[in-house]
Amino acid sequence: MIVIAKSQEEESENTGEEKKASGKWWSILGISIGVFIFALDVYIVNLALPIMVESLHTNFATIQWVVLSYLLAIAIFVLSAAKLGDMWSKKRLYIMGLIVFTLSSLLCGLAPNVSFLIAFRALQGLGAAFISGLGTAMIVEVFPVKERGLGLGIRSGVFGLGIMLGPTVGGLLISLGNWPLIFLINVPIGIIACLIVAYLVPPTAINFTKPSFDVIGTLILTLTLTCFTLGITLLQSEGFGSNTALTLLKVSAISFPCFLVAEARLAEPMLDLRIFQSLEFSLGLSLRFLGNFVMAGVIFMLPFFLKLVKQYTTEQAGLLLAVPPIIIVLTAPIAGILSDRFGSHIISLIGLVLMAIGCLVVSTFDTQLTVVSYILGIIPYGLGVGMFQSPNNSAIMGAAPKHSLGIASGLLSLSRILGQTAAVPLVGAVFSFVTVTNANLTINVDVTNAPLESLVFGTQITFRFVAALLLISTILAVSLWQLEKKNWIL
């Protein structure tokens, strides 16, 4: 009898382990589908903007809001979505995000004019805020600590796959059914993701203390992020002489300290500032912002070089721009496994160094560049991005308190969005200033009209600037971690 009881108990334990194992893989599948359509959507829409201008009888200034309303909604709502994830069921909120994203995709595809399309894109951004803000936290919950890097590495790889396929899939869909099809394709994919998460993903942890929602902090943060994102965006389109952009940035600079003061005084704030007492969390988040700043800057700069300097066709440039995402897709899961074995710090720092080396190699590109030289030169950068992302995410989520995984995941997403938002105008400003100065042109001249030699020089200096930023940040990060080990930082 005792032997039978023991065997039944062992069988029950084995069944429980099998359920946990299958649950984590179903979780990564459901979340990866959401991440995939989230990544795919951004790059597909950018490709379709010129066609939308003609089809919807609008202009370039207006059509930009198809992208901006989406990014603004994510930036504004992602932390609120993440906070709700720490209060309620992340799984249910994630499903809600998928439903909103899927429904709004349908509405975008059926939009009768550009005003409706912009409004529906903002609604789509709300759904994307839940997908982006909660997915990482859900992976961390279902994967054991020793496999956390693997789970996050798969997620990063899927995100890279979405980026890689964006231009190709977008071009195919537009040729088959014009621009509405790029939104309608999300509907069946979103429905499949909803069913997988609803029926196959295990329940997520719920905070039964039911803290109140921080309305004051949410409103102040909404004002801060809206002004910052709009201000940076206007700098990109109107230049640094834009009074509206500077005013918005000033409002953002004033409201942000107000947000910090409010959060420090509230009993149940949206963002518990004590989370930043962890050097590993704060430094990891800062490096995350920098990494995405650099990635967005590189994505912004490379097409200019390939089109203006090398004069490649759009199809040729698109194929060459797909090289880094391919490397990232292959590298990210491996980097996750390595971080589980050797530690997140060392792998993510190696990634940053490789990114810097890659940018230095790119800074040697000139008019004599061949396709083979381009591919060989861009490999270190692609490897660096793949090795940095998932270990960095793992380090940040590992340093976050268990009851704050949602808000930590939201901060990850917010740092990505803000890094990407800030990169284009700032990196573009460096490129424009160096190129125009080298060509001895007036500051108001369009940089694309500069001589070929000045364009090459401007590209080279800009990539060296980005490489220096990465190397300085890496040295600073290593120094701070060493000081913490010696207990010199309290």
Side-chain angles (χ1 to χ4, degrees):
M1 293 294 291
I2 295 174
V3 173
I4 294 173
K6 283 186 176 180
S7 63
Q8 288 177 341
E9 185 178 341
E10 289 174 358
E11 185 178 342
S12 177
E13 288 179 359
N14 290 335
T15 303
E17 289 299 321
E18 289 175 3
K19 285 183 177 179
K20 285 183 180 179
S22 63
K24 71 183 181 184
W25 294 118
W26 282 118
S27 295
I28 199 69
L29 176 61
I31 292 165
S32 293
I33 294 174
V35 167
F36 179 76
I37 58 176
F38 170 72
L40 194 71
D41 190 71
V42 175
Y43 291 89
I44 284 181
V45 173
N46 285 340
L47 187 68
L49 290 180
I51 298 171
M52 290 180 184
V53 171
E54 182 179 352
S55 176
L56 295 170
H57 308 291
T58 184
N59 53 57
F60 180 73
T62 302
I63 207 67
Q64 286 186 88
W65 281 97
V66 173
V67 175
L68 295 180
S69 61
Y70 178 75
L71 294 176
L72 264 176
I74 299 175
I76 291 168
F77 293 112
V78 69
L79 280 189
S80 298
K83 180 61 178 179
L84 290 173
D86 286 330
M87 295 168 60
W88 300 326
S89 167
K90 295 180 184 66
K91 174 181 172 177
R92 292 180 181 177
L93 290 170
Y94 191 85
I95 293 172
M96 286 173 55
L98 281 172
I99 292 172
V100 171
F101 187 91
T102 304
L103 178 61
S104 57
S105 294
L106 176 62
L107 294 173
C108 285
L110 301 175
N113 56 53
V114 70
S115 299
F116 276 98
L117 180 57
I118 291 170
F120 293 147
R121 279 285 284 171
L123 183 63
Q124 193 181 37
L126 174 61
F130 282 85
I131 296 172
S132 176
L134 298 173
T136 303
M138 291 172 66
I139 291 173
V140 171
E141 281 192 359
V142 297
F143 274 78
V145 175
K146 63 181 180 180
E147 296 179 354
R148 185 175 61 213
L150 172 61
L152 294 175
I154 294 172
R155 182 196 179 281
S156 296
V158 171
F159 188 84
L161 183 64
I163 294 173
M164 179 182 70
L165 293 179
T168 305
V169 174
L172 178 63
L173 292 174
I174 291 169
S175 64
L176 289 175
N178 212 331
W179 66 264
L181 196 55
I182 67 174
F183 296 111
L184 297 177
I185 193 66
N186 291 333
V187 177
I189 300 175
I191 291 172
I192 293 170
C194 285
L195 293 174
I196 291 175
V197 176
Y199 291 103
L200 299 173
V201 172
T204 54
I206 301 175
N207 185 356
F208 291 100
T209 57
K210 299 290 183 183
S212 60
F213 189 74
D214 177 13
V215 177
I216 296 175
T218 301
L219 291 175
I220 299 175
L221 185 63
T222 298
L223 174 66
T224 303
L225 292 175
T226 302
C227 291
F228 176 80
T229 310
L230 281 177
I232 287 290
T233 304
L234 288 175
L235 282 183
Q236 177 186 345
S237 58
E238 299 180 9
F240 284 82
S242 171
N243 291 327
T244 305
L246 295 176
T247 301
L248 287 169
L249 291 175
K250 288 176 183 177
V251 172
S252 178
I254 294 170
S255 59
F256 181 63
C258 295
F259 169 74
L260 296 179
V261 171
E263 296 303 279
R265 293 187 176 183
L266 290 172
E268 295 178 353
M270 179 180 68
L271 178 60
D272 189 346
L273 300 181
R274 288 176 295 181
I275 195 173
F276 296 106
Q277 290 177 351
S278 166
L279 176 66
E280 184 174 3
F281 182 85
S282 300
L283 191 55
L285 208 59
S286 300
L287 293 176
R288 165 82 170 184
F289 173 87
L290 174 67
N292 283 282
F293 178 92
V294 170
M295 284 182 264
V298 170
I299 291 172
F300 172 71
M301 286 296 304
L302 279 179
F304 277 96
F305 180 84
L306 296 175
K307 295 276 287 182
L308 297 178
V309 176
K310 295 301 298 179
Q311 297 182 350
Y312 288 135
T313 65
T314 302
E315 290 77 13
Q316 290 173 322
L319 288 173
L320 291 175
L321 290 172
V323 174
I326 291 172
I327 299 171
I328 293 167
V329 169
L330 298 174
T331 307
I334 298 172
I337 296 172
L338 291 175
S339 71
D340 287 333
R341 182 171 181 181
F342 299 106
S344 301
H345 288 167
I346 183 66
I347 303 301
S348 61
L349 288 175
I350 290 173
L352 282 178
V353 172
L354 283 173
M355 286 173 66
I357 292 172
C359 288
L360 285 174
V361 174
V362 174
S363 74
T364 65
F365 288 178
D366 55 24
T367 55
Q368 305 303 314
L369 180 73
T370 63
V371 171
V372 174
S373 299
Y374 168 84
I375 294 173
L376 292 175
I378 208 70
I379 285 176
Y381 169 78
L383 288 173
V385 174
M387 291 192 69
F388 167 74
Q389 284 186 313
S390 55
N392 174 254
N393 292 351
S394 181
I396 293 170
M397 297 304 294
K402 292 294 182 183
H403 63 276
S404 298
L405 288 179
I407 201 69
S409 178
L411 287 168
L412 269 175
S413 297
L414 182 61
S415 65
R416 176 184 61 80
I417 294 165
L418 295 181
Q420 291 174 341
T421 304
V424 174
L426 296 180
V427 172
V430 173
F431 172 66
S432 297
F433 177 78
V434 173
T435 303
V436 170
T437 302
N438 179 262
N440 294 318
L441 300 173
T442 61
I443 202 68
N444 294 323
V445 173
D446 191 337
V447 69
T448 58
N449 295 323
L452 203 61
E453 296 78 10
S454 297
L455 288 171
V456 171
F457 182 74
T459 303
Q460 292 177 343
I461 296 299
T462 302
F463 273 96
R464 287 169 192 168
F465 165 76
V466 171
L469 199 61
L470 284 167
L471 289 173
I472 292 170
S473 300
T474 303
I475 294 170
L476 180 61
V478 172
S479 302
L480 289 173
W481 272 320
Q482 290 299 320
L483 290 175
E484 186 188 33
K485 284 182 180 179
K486 295 178 181 179
N487 294 321
W488 289 0
I489 298 179
L490 299 178

